[in-house]
Amino acid sequence: MARSQPYTVACAGGLVKSANSIDLLRTPGVARELRNFEVSIEGGYRRINGFTKFGGASATRPTGSASTINGVIPYADGVIAVAGNAIYFSQDGITWLQVNRISSVGGDNYTAFTGQAIATRTGQGQAQFALFESAGTDYGEIMIADESEDIFSFRMEGTGALNTRTFYAKEIAPNGANATVKYITSHDHHLIAAGVEDNETTVYYSVHNDPNNFSGAGAGAITISDTIVGIRGFRADLIVFCENSIHKLINIDDSQTVAIVSIAENVGCLSGYSIQEIGGDLVFLAPDGIRTVAGTARIGDVELGTVSKAIQPLLNDIARSVDNYVITSMVHRDKSQYRLFYTDTTLDVAQQRGIIGTLRPNGFEWSETRGIEVTGIGTAFNEIGVEEHYHGSTTGYVYVHDTGNSFDGSNILARFGTPDYDYGDLGTLKTLHYLKVSASAEGVVTPDVQVRFDYGSTDTPQPPNLFDLGTIDPPSLFGEAIFGTNVFGGAENPLIRIPLQGSGYSNNFTIISDDSNAPYTINGFYIDFIPSGRR
Amino acid sequence: MATTYLDITNEVLRELNELPLTSANFASAIGLQQFVKDAINKSIFDIANEEPQLPFLSAGLSGATDPFYGNVTVATTAGTRWYLLKAGSSSLADDYGSVDWDDFYLTTINVSGETAPYVSKGLKFINLEDWKRYYRDSENEDDANGQAYGEPVRVIKSPDSRKFGLSPIPDKEYNVHFYAFNKPTKLTAYSDTIVFPEQYSNVITSRARYYVWQFKESPQQAAFALEDHKKAMRHMKSNLMNPTPRVMTDDRRYF
């Protein structure tokens, strides 16, 4: 063999869809395909976790049938699910209690509450939630807006068995009339409501520290000139997202100076369900991608930034068909992640898509999900302070999000495709010698590698089969390894050597796994190649 | 089992760390794979051109007509000087690759109607110039005037290399035995077999590597491959062609 040369790549930068093939030659660490992977906060690309039914093998559907889950949120020591024109609560995912009932003012015990008449939630749509904690309550009061009827308020007291607890439930009409409400949020100790039926351009805010009162001193409403599609508090201001503009409501506690101030007149928001707060900024889906509402050095000033240029083509597709999608989003605080799912319920579950943005030192780095159908998603801290994530789908089940090694028993097809590497010279033929993959496994994993030469050219012989990466054993660390479970000798970040064959002027690698094995992280590559002429 | 075109192509591809072919995609090979396929044929031709009388290229089993060890027999006709070396061949492309001109043998043994004493002798090869200078005119006169033919004692090669001629022109039917070697056939299908014994397949693969390394612009590797080829060729020839003690022969005894 001629003298071989090395090439090292560290996986960083995430998915890039907005660069052409020549641009990508200069950024070997990014991914041209990153499906069912996430950018790890420690660096590298990690295959995502799966999801499992809330309730495990004994899980039941809240409605008892395949009704679409319109919203889900961890609450108290269980989960609230909005589905089938009703609202349910469950501690275990097996037994569901329908809670859309109107309780006595002083609260009902279990028997009295379950005997109350059902408060209809006809025409239910996507749900939003706002939690109000207050002294003297065990879990706080949760507000639910589901595009059906007034805001529904639910509170539960007691820590024992469900049938020993006290239940408070009522409906709140922001404008005093019985009208549907789409968007709610809490801001500066006020409950904020918008998207109220026949008043789609008005923002309503409750009395300070009294979310049930929209008519007392300190409550109010402000009407603007654009249809509101989302609301969210940001520092001292309330950001009002409209179809074609963005505003902020300032001085909410001062009835003399409360006002709406315009932030942008040419940028709107495509979905209020895309708005999340992460890294001290608000992120939302705009027609030109994921944007941020961020603070500036000047007090009270904000700026709008775009953080999704790397995946602009993906977001253009979403924007073009946003009316066909159910948009949901969440923030995974442990992973510094913003996840947005765009579900087309007419498609098969394997076709359902989403994006994951991980906040890294240089900003957001992106990846895609495929095969996770989400019609409602929620995250919150449970009563012991642990962050929990749940989502629901058209199957009618509630799922524990981001857990397990499979999509509720189905394999996770994960693909991480590198850009083509020219190893510094696109004009020199290179014969690949071997590849070393730096990987960290969280269990026994067996991914494969696909090699494609010259951008998959049909004029270049392409390897017909995948190269076997072998079995990567998880590391066995002193003090952590479990006898009989962990494998002796597993390194923490092993370099797996794969002999390669073939030659081309450039090539890429795709890490592929389609199984229910544990997640793994690809940290980088070392490629040994032999320059083989310039013909 | 004989080495196939697919086997030897893949042997080279693997040596070069390139993707091997399969029986399914062999015919549609592209790029370097096709180049290696071509290089295999080119190498075989190179080897046959360098040494066309390798035993495995023999046109037939020697000694088929015992006790004569030639592998081709041509029956002469009275009054006819020139005979195709390969009966039925229509062009040089189909002719034998090589003929041992130093080993033509004339006999009446096994000729119908002949009885003892038989004619049985080797034919002396003379080049065309000598034949033209010393024999052509007189033999042609004999032929034209009195059809006075004779018992051939010399063999000549036609200028187009397709026929052998006898001098004098035969006066009756004889059997001429000689030794011929085929041209190697160009390999096309994946299952085509290599005529080389498997032991000597490295003579082909090293030559093919020489061409591929040239293609890959690696003169150093090409030089190594060529050296491998020369060494392997030398060993093959030594084993197959020169295993017997060398002797000197005084050809003057034929005069």
Side-chain angles (χ1 to χ4, degrees):
Chain A
M1 285 289 173
R3 192 169 189 176
S4 64
Q5 293 186 9
Y7 190 74
T8 306
V9 176
C11 294
L15 180 65
V16 173
K17 291 281 188 185
S18 58
N20 64 44
S21 54
I22 301 299
D23 283 339
L24 288 174
L25 293 174
R26 294 193 291 268
T27 52
V30 304
R32 59 174 174 76
E33 182 181 16
L34 201 54
R35 181 180 301 178
N36 289 334
F37 273 89
E38 61 192 359
V39 178
S40 171
I41 52 175
E42 292 98 7
Y45 303 137
R46 178 184 181 273
R47 202 214 69 189
I48 60 171
N49 292 332
F51 58 83
T52 57
K53 284 193 184 80
F54 177 45
S58 305
T60 60
R61 299 177 172 105
T63 63
S65 62
S67 304
T68 298
I69 302 292
N70 293 313
V72 60
I73 188 86
Y75 173 71
D77 53 354
V79 173
I80 286 176
V82 176
N85 295 333
I87 301 170
Y88 299 88
F89 173 79
S90 176
Q91 292 171 295
D92 54 14
I94 300 169
T95 305
W96 293 90
L97 172 66
Q98 188 170 354
V99 299
N100 55 313
R101 308 166 190 271
I102 306 301
S103 71
S104 306
V105 175
D108 287 335
N109 63 23
Y110 183 83
T111 304
F113 184 65
T114 53
Q116 297 284 11
I118 299 294
T120 57
R121 309 298 296 176
T122 310
Q124 203 170 55
Q126 273 188 270
Q128 280 203 333
F129 305 89
L131 182 65
F132 268 78
E133 299 274 9
S134 58
T137 64
D138 289 326
Y139 310 111
E141 181 180 358
I142 188 136
M143 307 295 176
I144 304 164
D146 56 4
E147 303 184 36
S148 160
E149 310 295 337
D150 296 326
I151 299 167
F152 187 78
S153 164
F154 177 69
R155 179 161 67 94
M156 186 168 62
E157 298 297 332
T159 55
L162 204 59
N163 59 10
T164 66
R165 297 184 181 183
T166 305
F167 301 88
Y168 302 82
K170 61 186 171 219
E171 290 181 328
I172 304 166
N175 63 351
N178 185 21
T180 63
V181 179
K182 278 188 176 179
Y183 312 112
I184 57 172
T185 190
S186 59
H187 170 63
D188 202 10
H189 315 294
H190 298 263
L191 176 63
I192 314 295
V196 178
E197 186 179 6
D198 297 329
N199 292 279
E200 284 83 2
T201 59
T202 303
V203 181
Y204 296 90
Y205 52 97
S206 72
V207 172
H208 187 266
N209 263 339
D210 188 357
N212 300 303
N213 187 351
F214 278 84
S215 56
I222 291 183
T223 300
I224 56 179
S225 58
D226 197 359
T227 302
I228 299 167
V229 297
I231 47 176
R232 194 76 172 204
F234 179 65
R235 301 185 181 177
D237 305 325
L238 175 77
I239 307 298
V240 182
F241 297 89
C242 300
E243 285 183 348
N244 302 303
S245 57
I246 298 172
H247 309 268
K248 63 179 179 179
L249 190 153
I250 61 172
N251 303 329
I252 193 170
D253 285 325
D254 185 345
S255 60
Q256 300 299 312
T257 58
V258 64
I260 284 283
V261 176
S262 176
I263 296 175
E265 293 293 343
N266 291 318
V267 176
C269 175
L270 290 179
S271 171
Y273 304 101
S274 67
I275 304 165
Q276 298 290 341
E277 182 176 355
I278 181 169
D281 299 332
L282 290 185
V283 293
F284 65 98
L285 179 63
D288 58 350
I290 303 291
R291 282 184 167 271
T292 59
V293 176
T296 70
R298 285 161 49 194
I299 295 171
D301 189 24
V302 294
E303 66 175 4
L304 296 176
T306 304
V307 293
S308 60
K309 285 296 180 194
I311 54 167
Q312 188 71 32
L314 267 181
L315 291 159
N316 288 344
D317 290 343
I318 300 174
R320 271 194 291 272
S321 308
V322 71
D323 292 339
N324 298 331
Y325 295 127
V326 177
I327 302 289
T328 54
S329 64
M330 63 165 280
V331 168
H332 198 310
R333 293 172 183 80
D334 287 349
K335 295 181 175 179
S336 293
Q337 278 179 2
Y338 170 72
R339 293 187 172 195
L340 182 140
F341 297 93
Y342 50 110
T343 295
D344 182 345
T345 54
T346 62
L347 297 179
D348 184 71
V349 65
Q351 304 300 317
Q352 305 299 352
R353 300 198 287 175
I355 55 174
I356 299 175
T358 303
L359 195 52
R360 298 269 292 148
N362 293 324
F364 278 98
E365 295 180 5
W366 299 93
S367 61
E368 273 191 289
T369 66
R370 188 69 68 92
I372 306 178
E373 185 187 63
V374 180
T375 54
I377 192 164
T379 176
F381 293 98
N382 64 12
E383 80 279 12
I384 57 170
V386 176
E387 190 179 26
E388 292 182 340
H389 322 281
Y390 295 91
H391 79 256
S393 70
T394 57
T395 63
Y397 283 103
V398 171
Y399 299 95
V400 184
H401 189 75
D402 197 41
T403 190
N405 297 331
S406 69
F407 288 161
D408 191 33
S410 300
N411 284 351
I412 300 176
L413 172 58
R415 294 173 62 93
F416 157 37
T418 70
D420 262 49
Y421 300 149
D422 69 345
Y423 307 100
D425 181 3
L426 199 53
T428 298
L429 186 73
K430 275 80 69 173
T431 304
L432 296 186
H433 193 194
Y434 64 83
L435 167 73
K436 283 185 173 180
V437 179
S438 171
S440 311
E442 297 172 28
V444 177
V445 299
T446 56
D448 294 317
V449 184
Q450 183 186 56
V451 181
R452 283 286 174 268
F453 293 98
D454 299 339
Y455 299 94
S457 168
T458 53
D459 293 331
T460 303
Q462 306 290 353
N465 301 316
L466 303 179
F467 293 93
D468 188 6
L469 205 61
T471 300
I472 309 172
D473 295 323
S476 298
L477 303 178
F478 184 77
E480 293 180 9
I482 300 168
F483 184 78
T485 300
N486 285 67
V487 180
F488 178 78
E492 195 167 358
N493 290 297
L495 273 171
I496 299 107
R497 188 182 193 277
I498 306 138
L500 297 176
Q501 286 178 316
S503 60
Y505 295 96
S506 67
N507 78 278
N508 66 54
F509 301 99
T510 304
I511 304 290
I512 301 172
S513 60
D514 184 11
D515 52 39
S516 298
N517 292 333
Y520 55 90
T521 302
I522 304 297
N523 302 311
F525 303 103
Y526 173 91
I527 304 126
D528 192 84
F529 67 94
I530 299 147
S532 306
R534 296 180 61 81
R535 289 172 69 162
Chain B
M1 204 170 97
T3 304
T4 65
Y5 191 19
L6 175 65
D7 294 335
I8 201 157
T9 303
N10 282 346
E11 196 175 319
V12 175
L13 287 168
R14 281 192 296 268
E15 282 186 52
L16 296 161
N17 216 43
E18 296 289 351
L19 298 167
L21 289 160
T22 64
S23 56
N25 66 5
F26 191 82
S28 57
I30 51 174
L32 196 75
Q33 292 173 333
Q34 182 59 45
F35 185 88
V36 171
K37 281 175 63 179
D38 295 342
I40 294 290
N41 273 322
K42 201 153 60 164
S43 303
I44 291 171
F45 293 155
D46 281 350
I47 294 162
N49 292 344
E50 182 179 335
E51 185 47 73
Q53 295 192 1
L54 287 163
F56 42 77
L57 297 175
S58 166
L61 190 64
S62 64
T65 309
D66 197 56
F68 312 110
Y69 75 84
N71 57 10
V72 180
T73 302
V74 175
T76 64
T77 305
T80 301
R81 173 185 290 138
W82 298 103
Y83 301 90
L84 275 172
L85 286 160
K86 186 175 185 179
S89 172
S90 58
S91 72
L92 190 65
D94 297 328
D95 285 350
Y96 293 122
S98 177
V99 169
D100 186 358
W101 291 98
D102 199 26
D103 197 20
F104 274 67
Y105 196 82
L106 184 89
T107 182
T108 54
I109 299 170
N110 295 331
V111 174
S112 177
E114 291 289 335
T115 55
Y118 295 108
V119 175
S120 191
K121 61 181 181 185
L123 294 173
K124 169 67 178 171
F125 176 82
I126 63 167
N127 63 47
L128 214 53
E129 291 304 314
D130 287 345
W131 173 73
K132 283 190 291 186
R133 181 176 300 166
Y134 301 117
Y135 303 108
R136 182 175 65 176
D137 296 348
S138 61
E139 288 178 3
N140 285 354
E141 281 176 15
D142 289 345
D143 178 34
N145 298 333
Q147 287 85 43
Y149 308 121
E151 185 179 291
V153 293
R154 293 170 291 273
V155 62
I156 51 177
K157 188 174 86 168
S158 70
D160 62 4
S161 299
R162 299 203 63 223
K163 294 180 178 178
F164 70 88
L166 297 174
S167 170
I169 296 171
D171 55 352
K172 60 179 181 181
E173 181 180 352
Y174 298 92
N175 278 342
V176 176
H177 299 282
F178 62 90
Y179 212 98
F181 299 84
N182 285 326
K183 289 190 176 85
T185 307
K186 183 178 181 182
L187 304 170
T188 52
Y190 75 89
S191 55
D192 286 352
T193 53
I194 310 292
V195 292
F196 288 51
E198 196 172 349
Q199 176 189 358
Y200 301 111
S201 60
N202 63 329
V203 185
I204 303 171
T205 56
S206 57
R207 185 76 181 181
R209 275 191 289 121
Y210 163 71
Y211 284 120
V212 178
W213 281 121
Q214 281 191 314
F215 176 83
K216 291 191 169 191
E217 294 179 354
S218 180
Q220 188 183 30
Q221 294 301 316
F224 289 157
L226 187 60
E227 195 57 39
D228 285 350
H229 169 73
K230 285 177 179 173
K231 189 175 170 187
M233 187 79 187
R234 198 161 56 240
H235 288 163
M236 180 173 72
K237 285 168 71 175
S238 172
N239 291 345
L240 295 177
M241 302 180 71
N242 307 314
T244 53
R246 291 171 181 269
V247 293
M248 290 186 69
T249 305
D250 185 353
D251 283 352
R252 287 175 299 179
R253 64 188 170 139
Y254 288 107
F255 288 94

